[in-house]
C-alpha cells in the first residue's frame, strides 16, 4: 500500500496565502477523504501538530494547541500514525509554515517518519515578491511588537535559498516545487483551487477546495498598524520572556479590518528589502527559472506610507469601540445575573437579565439567556 501513496507537504512561506489554503482544505476534509486525499490533525494549520511532534528545542511563550502534542510527542505521533492507518487514501497533504524553520536534524526525523507511510514526497514552497512580502511581514510584526522604528527600518529577509537547500538535502533535489504567489492569486476566489492544481492534486480536488471565496479581513490599515504599535509600546506583549498578564492576546482583533490608508513601509525600507533579496532572487532564477522578481531597484513601486489619519478610519474605530463597550457591558450584566443566581437572589438575577435584554436586545448571548428563561417558565407552568 505504501508504494501507491504520496505526500504533498506545503511548507509555506508565511504571508503567501498559507492560512487561506489551510482553512479551505480543513473545511473540506470529509469530501477530500472521499476523493482519497487525507488532511489530518484537528487544526487547520498543521504547524501545531508537526512542531509539537518533531521539533526538539522550541519554547512557547504562550499556550497554543501545540502544547497538546509537545507534552507527549510519542503519544501524539502514535495517534497520528493511527489516523493514517485507519483511513483509505492515496495522497497525504500536510501544511504548516513552521516547517520552514525545521533544522536539518528535525527534517531528517520528519523525512524518516514520512518514508514509513508514503513512497514519494513532494515539497511545495510558495514565494512572493520580496518587497511586498517584507511589507506583509512587517504588518504581522506590528500586531505584537512595540519597536515600530525597528520594524520599519529593518525589513525581514525571506531566506528562500536557505530554506530550499535544507529541504533538498533532506528529501532530494527534485522533491521541491516552488510556486509563485502572484500566479496563484490572479483570481483571488480560486486561490486554494489554483494551489491544488499547481501542486498536482488534480481538477477534482481543486473543485472541492475552491470554497465560496469568502474570507475574514484581518489586515491592518496604515492607521491601525501605527496605533497598535504604539499600544504595544505602552503594554508590551512580553515581560521577562513571558506573556504580559495585562494582555489578553486578542488586542490586534480590535484593529484588524478597520478601513484607512493601505499599509506600507517607507520607500527607504522597500529599497532595503529589494537589495537584501538579490541573492535569493538570483537563486530562484538559476534553480527554478523564476525571473518575476529579477527587476532593478528603479522598478520598485513607490511607497504609499503615510501617517495621516483618514476620516473613514476614525469613524470605523469609533463604531468598533462602541461595539466593544456594549459587549463588555452585556458581559458584565450576564455575569452579575449568574453571581446573583448563585447567591439565591432570584429577583436580582431577573433584574440583571431584564436590564441586559433592554439595553442589548441584539446580543446573541442575551437572546439565548432570555430564551432559556422563557423555556424554563414554560416547563414550570
Amino acid at each position: 500500500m505504501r508504494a501507491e501513496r504520496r505526500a504533498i507537504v506545503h511548507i509555506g512561506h508565511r504571508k503567501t496565502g498559507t492560512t487561506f489554503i489551510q482553512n479551505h482544505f480543513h473545511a473540506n476534509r470529509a469530501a477530500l477523504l472521499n476523493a482519497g486525499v487525507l488532511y489530518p490533525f484537528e487544526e487547520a494549520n498543521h504547524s501545531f501538530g508537526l512542531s509539537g511532534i518533531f521539533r526538539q528545542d522550541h519554547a512557547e511563550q504562550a499556550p497554543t494547541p501545540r502544547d497538546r502534542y509537545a507534552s507527549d510527542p510519542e503519544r501524539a505521533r502514535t495517534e497520528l500514525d493511527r489516523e493514517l492507518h485507519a483511513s483509505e487514501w492515496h495522497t497525504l497533504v500536510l501544511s504548516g509554515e513552521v516547517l520552514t524553520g525545521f533544522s536539518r536534524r528535525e527534517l531528517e526525523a520528519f523525512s524518516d517518519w514520512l518514508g514509513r507511510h508514503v513512497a514519494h514526497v513532494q515539497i511545495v514552497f510558495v514565494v512572493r515578491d520580496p518587497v511586498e512580502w517584507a511589507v506583509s511581514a512587517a504588518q504581522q510584526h506590528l500586531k505584537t511588537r512595540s519597536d515600530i522604528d525597528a520594524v520599519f527600518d529593518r525589513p525581514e529577509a525571506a531566506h528562500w535559498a536557505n530554506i530550499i537547500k535544507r529541504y533538498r538535502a533532506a528529501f532530494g533535489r527534485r522533491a521541491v516545487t516552488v510556486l509563485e504567489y502572484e500566479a496563484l492569486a490572479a483570481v483571488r476566489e480560486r486561490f486554494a483551487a489554483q494551489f491544488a492544481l499547481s501542486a498536482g492534486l488534480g481538477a477534482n480536488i481543486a473543485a472541492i477546495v475552491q470554497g465560496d471565496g469568502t474570507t475574514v479581513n484581518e489586515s491592518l490599515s496604515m492607521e491601525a498598524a501605527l496605533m497598535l504599535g504604539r499600544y504595544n509600546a505602552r503594554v508590551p506583549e512580553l515581560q521577562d520572556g513571558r506573556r504580559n498578564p495585562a494582555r489578553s492576546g486578542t488586542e490586534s482583533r480590535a484593529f484588524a479590518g478597520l478601513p484607512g490608508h493601505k499599509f506600507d513601509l517607507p520607500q527607504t525600507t522597500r529599497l532595503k528589502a529589494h537589495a537584501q533579496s538579490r541573492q535569493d532572487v538570483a537563486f530562484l532564477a538559476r534553480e527554478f527559472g523564476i525571473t518575476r522578481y529579477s527587476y532593478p531597484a528603479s522598478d520598485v513601486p513607490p511607497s504609499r506610507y503615510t501617517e495621516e489619519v483618514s476620516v473613514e478610519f476614525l469613524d470605523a474605530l469609533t463604531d468598533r469601540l462602541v461595539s466593544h463597550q456594549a459587549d463588555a457591558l452585556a458581559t458584565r450584566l450576564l455575569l452579575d445575573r449568574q453571581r446573583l443566581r448563585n447567591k439565591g437572589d432570584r429577583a436580582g438575577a431577573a433584574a440583571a437579565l431584564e436590564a441586559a435584554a433592554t439595553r442589548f436586545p441584539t446580543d446573541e448571548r442575551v437572546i439565548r439567556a432570555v430564551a432559556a428563561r422563557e423555556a424554563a417558565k414554560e416547563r414550570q407552568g
Side-chain angles (χ1 to χ4, degrees):
M1 188 66 172
R2 171 187 171 279
E4 303 172 4
R5 287 176 165 176
R6 64 170 175 159
I8 293 178
V9 184
H10 174 217
I11 65 174
H13 212 198
R14 58 192 179 85
K15 313 313 297 179
T16 59
T18 305
T19 300
F20 186 91
I21 292 168
Q22 291 167 347
N23 287 340
H24 277 66
F25 272 78
H26 187 262
N28 295 285
R29 283 184 300 168
L32 288 171
L33 189 56
N34 287 336
V37 175
L38 175 63
Y39 193 78
F41 291 109
E42 294 181 10
E43 300 84 15
N45 186 348
H46 296 161
S47 292
F48 301 114
L50 296 176
S51 175
I53 294 172
F54 293 103
R55 296 208 84 168
Q56 296 162 357
D57 297 305
H58 183 67
E60 290 286 351
Q61 295 170 329
T64 73
R66 176 187 180 275
D67 297 341
R68 183 165 65 86
Y69 302 96
S71 61
D72 191 345
E74 290 303 318
R75 178 185 57 79
R77 186 182 303 192
T78 299
E79 290 180 357
L80 179 58
D81 288 341
R82 187 178 299 119
E83 181 178 3
L84 268 60
H85 287 304
S87 303
E88 292 296 327
W89 53 273
H90 54 70
T91 302
L92 170 68
V93 175
L94 298 171
S95 178
E97 55 269 46
V98 74
L99 290 167
T100 60
F102 270 29
S103 68
R104 294 204 175 193
R105 185 177 176 186
E106 289 164 345
L107 283 178
E108 287 176 4
F110 181 48
S111 175
D112 288 344
W113 173 77
L114 279 172
R116 293 196 289 273
H117 295 283
V118 301
H120 175 71
V121 177
Q122 179 184 2
I123 305 299
V124 180
F125 186 52
V126 182
V127 295
R128 181 180 181 180
D129 182 286
V131 176
E132 296 307 317
W133 184 85
V135 171
S136 188
Q139 183 184 117
Q140 186 67 30
H141 285 316
L142 284 176
K143 292 182 178 180
T144 56
R145 287 173 53 179
S146 60
D147 194 341
I148 298 176
D149 292 335
V151 171
F152 282 178
D153 291 343
R154 295 191 290 275
E156 185 175 351
H159 299 302
W160 297 332
N162 181 280
I163 295 167
I164 291 171
K165 287 176 181 178
R166 274 187 283 119
Y167 271 86
R168 280 180 164 181
F171 292 93
R173 186 176 183 83
R174 296 183 179 181
V176 180
T177 297
V178 178
L179 305 179
E180 300 167 55
Y181 170 84
E182 292 79 7
L184 299 179
V187 182
R188 182 60 188 175
E189 60 269 20
R190 284 188 52 80
F191 189 90
Q194 190 59 50
F195 170 83
L197 286 173
S198 301
L201 283 166
N204 62 322
I205 302 303
I208 291 173
V209 301
Q210 179 171 327
D212 57 9
T214 58
T215 59
V216 177
N217 183 9
E218 294 185 351
S219 63
L220 296 176
S221 62
M222 195 74 240
E223 297 93 324
L226 292 172
M227 185 173 287
L228 182 56
R230 300 301 180 194
Y231 174 83
N232 290 333
R234 289 164 174 76
V235 189
E237 184 183 42
L238 301 178
Q239 283 187 338
D240 300 324
R242 295 180 175 274
R243 181 178 288 278
N244 186 343
R247 296 287 294 252
S248 68
T250 63
E251 285 78 8
S252 64
R253 297 179 191 172
F255 298 92
L258 288 173
H261 298 290
K262 187 173 179 61
F263 179 84
D264 206 346
L265 292 169
Q267 188 67 3
T268 54
T269 313
R270 292 172 66 86
L271 291 172
K272 287 179 183 177
H274 178 273
Q276 71 185 14
S277 68
R278 291 309 86 188
Q279 288 187 353
D280 282 303
V281 168
F283 172 83
L284 216 60
R286 183 176 64 253
E287 298 293 326
F288 297 91
I290 296 176
T291 59
R292 181 192 294 268
Y293 315 118
S294 304
Y295 56 85
S298 58
D299 287 349
V300 174
S303 172
R304 295 159 295 194
Y305 175 83
T306 178
E307 294 190 18
E308 294 180 359
V309 179
S310 65
V311 173
E312 293 78 11
F313 170 77
L314 291 175
D315 287 344
L317 179 60
T318 299
D319 290 341
R320 184 163 294 184
L321 290 175
V322 169
S323 175
H324 283 201
Q325 176 71 357
D327 181 76
L329 290 172
T331 299
R332 179 72 267 171
L333 287 169
L334 292 174
L335 288 173
D336 284 345
R337 179 201 180 212
Q338 187 60 47
R339 177 176 55 81
L340 292 167
R341 288 178 67 183
N342 292 341
K343 287 184 175 181
D345 186 351
R346 294 179 132 189
L353 180 57
E354 198 61 39
T358 300
R359 297 179 63 181
F360 310 107
T362 61
D363 187 290
E364 292 186 1
R365 297 165 303 164
V366 174
I367 292 172
R368 288 196 297 269
V370 171
R373 180 192 63 184
E374 297 306 314
K377 285 182 178 179
E378 289 183 8
R379 288 195 297 271
Q380 291 173 358

